[in-house]
Amino acid sequence: MTKAERTRQFIVEKTAPLFNTKGYDGTSLADLTEATGLTKGALYGNFADKDEIAEAAFHYSMKKVKALMKQEMESVKTYKQRLQALLSFFARYVNKPPVAGGCPLLNTAIEADDHRTSMRRVVTKELMATIDFIASQLEGGVKAGEFISTIKPRELAYVFFCSVEGALMFSRVERSNEPMEIVVKHCKKILDQISQ
Amino acid sequence: MTKAERTRQFIVEKTAPLFNTKGYDGTSLADLTEATGLTKGALYGNFADKDEIAEAAFHYSMKKVKALMKQEMESVKTYKQRLQALLSFFARYVNKPPVAGGCPLLNTAIEADDHRTSMRRVVTKELMATIDFIASQLEGGVKAGEFISTIKPRELAYVFFCSVEGALMFSRVERSNEPMEIVVKHCKKILDQISQ
DNA sequence: TACAAAATATACCGATTGGTATATTTTAAC
DNA sequence: GTTAAAATATACCAATCGGTATATTTTGTA
């Protein structure tokens, strides 16, 4: 890892929580220099502009979230247990987010949906990948005989993911676990219902 | 209605879509003067600062959304039909939002959760009111004998609302109705399951 | 340890930010 | 129609915005 690569990594690690907390528009270059202890010269020597830092920060946040998520899931064996672990992971997201500021997917999607085209594409890609991942777990469970074969994995994946993301929004702004706990409980009950 | 009141109303109507689309940080005073055709003098003659305009715009957006929602719901008779109408209302939200930019609750909650205290309080209040409203419809349905009495109205209200808000985020950034349609279908199926 | 190259800091840029003091216009009551 | 008050426009403010040219320092290599 060259010096430049290390500095890029350092900048991204220090600024990712900032972008995730205050948003792209809400994060200034002064915020970035303060968080890193570096000057604009160093920032612009390693990145083309603020957009490039924000995008790298988003990718870093997503990588971190996914790594933690998968780590949690691979500690158990069955597909059902893995999906339960995934739901528990999100439940703990409220009080202990892997990256400060909550879910980078949710935050970035909301800020980017109307007026930030390139970021929108990046988020869309990650969202689709997430649905594919959850759906693949459900499909695996069906093939393994854990879940009844009449379920629609893709649709159920959307239901799980959307309800958890909505609960995350609610719980974070409300500073209360209640919405998330209720939603996760409901999702786990669905998992029980489709088990055989 | 005095001139001042009319102007305040005019400013709020013209700027609400702007705040809802670009967010508080993303909306500048130049944006506001352009959207209204007024000058800063007029803006600051009627509002103390940008924050006050944003808050008034949020309240206006919420009023508009709730009015449309309730209008849609009161065209049918049973509690089940009303809840179905509410879900259909959200489903159409994706392509035809009452206020440009999507759901003001979702947008404002995400931007305000970490670093805008006063707005957070306002959003929290509206979120709680929404859950109370949905829960009251479910309770009404139970008392009227439409729904089985074993349901937990408040928990179900959270599930409905959170999943729809999550789907709204997804569908908006993806520019596709699919996530919302899947989620709404699922919610309506729950309504069928708890019906008697 | 000398030295070229790479990385970072410094000092600056014009544009835009939210906000205000004051001049001008419009409004509404008489 | 006159006039005081209310509302709006104009012109300005310091601060901050994202970004850059250049000077200085640090790095890795011979």
Side-chain angles (χ1 to χ4, degrees):
Chain A
M1 191 140 87
T2 72
K3 181 82 203 305
E5 283 171 331
R6 268 183 284 134
T7 308
R8 261 185 82 101
Q9 183 66 13
F10 174 78
I11 293 170
V12 161
E13 282 171 17
K14 293 290 183 187
T15 60
L18 224 52
F19 279 114
N20 202 40
T21 302
K22 306 174 73 175
Y24 178 83
D25 289 328
T27 306
S28 69
L29 278 170
D31 291 331
L32 303 181
T33 56
E34 193 191 353
T36 54
L38 298 172
T39 59
K40 288 189 194 180
L43 258 43
Y44 278 85
N46 290 285
F47 293 93
D49 51 24
K50 190 182 151 188
D51 279 72
E52 201 178 293
I53 307 179
E55 200 169 312
F58 172 73
H59 278 124
Y60 167 77
S61 294
M62 283 309 299
K63 202 173 133 189
K64 200 167 172 182
V65 169
K66 285 190 280 188
L68 245 72
M69 188 180 83
K70 280 172 183 173
Q71 174 190 318
E72 197 119 344
M73 290 176 75
E74 69 193 11
S75 68
V76 290
K77 294 178 299 279
T78 68
Y79 286 100
K80 184 179 179 182
Q81 283 173 324
R82 275 209 280 276
L83 283 161
Q84 285 171 333
L86 185 142
L87 288 165
S88 300
F89 169 76
F90 274 106
R92 257 172 296 127
Y93 217 112
V94 179
N95 287 332
K96 248 188 63 181
V99 182
C103 177
L105 272 175
L106 180 60
N107 294 337
T108 314
I110 293 300
E111 194 178 10
D113 61 354
D114 284 306
H115 71 300
R116 302 206 56 233
T117 311
S118 79
M119 213 52 162
R120 232 196 74 222
R121 267 195 291 271
V122 173
V123 174
T124 298
K125 216 174 146 187
E126 290 284 354
L127 281 170
M128 293 307 297
T130 306
I131 293 297
D132 288 345
F133 176 71
I134 301 175
S136 75
Q137 294 296 312
L138 287 160
E139 278 162 23
V142 169
K143 277 178 192 143
E146 291 182 29
F147 301 136
I148 55 177
S149 60
T150 48
I151 65 164
K152 292 171 179 169
R154 194 175 158 75
E155 295 191 6
L156 213 46
Y158 272 113
V159 170
F160 284 166
F161 181 73
C162 290
S163 56
V164 161
E165 288 290 323
L168 202 48
M169 173 275 286
F170 207 137
S171 275
R172 276 192 63 80
V173 79
E174 199 118 326
R175 305 259 202 272
S176 155
N177 257 330
E178 200 197 359
M180 181 56 89
E181 276 167 10
I182 289 170
V183 163
V184 163
K185 195 175 84 177
H186 176 257
C187 290
K188 288 190 176 176
K189 196 186 280 179
I190 294 180
L191 278 181
D192 287 334
Q193 285 168 353
I194 65 167
S195 293
Q196 62 181 8
Chain B
M1 191 140 85
T2 72
K3 181 84 202 305
E5 284 171 331
R6 270 182 283 134
T7 308
R8 261 185 81 101
Q9 183 65 14
F10 174 78
I11 293 170
V12 161
E13 282 170 16
K14 293 291 183 187
T15 60
L18 224 53
F19 279 115
N20 203 38
T21 302
K22 305 175 71 173
Y24 177 84
D25 289 328
T27 306
S28 69
L29 278 169
D31 290 332
L32 303 181
T33 56
E34 192 191 353
T36 54
L38 298 171
T39 59
K40 288 188 195 181
L43 258 43
Y44 278 85
N46 290 286
F47 293 93
D49 50 25
K50 191 183 151 188
D51 279 72
E52 200 178 294
I53 307 178
E55 199 168 313
F58 172 73
H59 278 125
Y60 168 78
S61 294
M62 283 307 300
K63 203 174 134 188
K64 201 168 172 183
V65 169
K66 285 189 280 188
L68 245 71
M69 188 179 83
K70 281 175 183 170
Q71 173 190 318
E72 197 119 343
M73 290 177 73
E74 68 192 13
S75 68
V76 291
K77 294 179 300 281
T78 68
Y79 287 100
K80 184 181 179 181
Q81 283 174 325
R82 274 210 280 276
L83 283 160
Q84 285 171 333
L86 185 141
L87 288 165
S88 300
F89 169 76
F90 274 105
R92 258 173 294 126
Y93 217 112
V94 180
N95 288 330
K96 249 187 63 179
V99 182
C103 177
L105 272 175
L106 180 58
N107 295 337
T108 314
I110 294 300
E111 194 179 9
D113 61 354
D114 284 306
H115 71 297
R116 300 205 57 233
T117 311
S118 80
M119 214 53 161
R120 232 197 74 221
R121 267 194 290 271
V122 174
V123 174
T124 298
K125 215 174 148 187
E126 290 284 353
L127 281 171
M128 293 306 298
T130 306
I131 293 297
D132 288 345
F133 176 70
I134 300 174
S136 76
Q137 294 296 311
L138 287 161
E139 279 162 23
V142 169
K143 278 179 190 141
E146 289 181 31
F147 301 136
I148 55 177
S149 60
T150 49
I151 65 164
K152 292 170 179 170
R154 194 176 158 75
E155 295 190 6
L156 212 45
Y158 272 113
V159 169
F160 284 167
F161 182 73
C162 289
S163 56
V164 162
E165 289 290 323
L168 202 47
M169 174 274 286
F170 207 136
S171 276
R172 277 193 63 82
V173 78
E174 199 117 328
R175 304 260 201 271
S176 155
N177 257 330
E178 200 197 358
M180 181 56 90
E181 276 167 10
I182 289 170
V183 163
V184 163
K185 196 176 83 177
H186 176 257
C187 290
K188 287 188 177 176
K189 195 186 282 178
I190 294 179
L191 278 181
D192 287 335
Q193 285 169 353
I194 66 167
S195 294
Q196 63 181 9

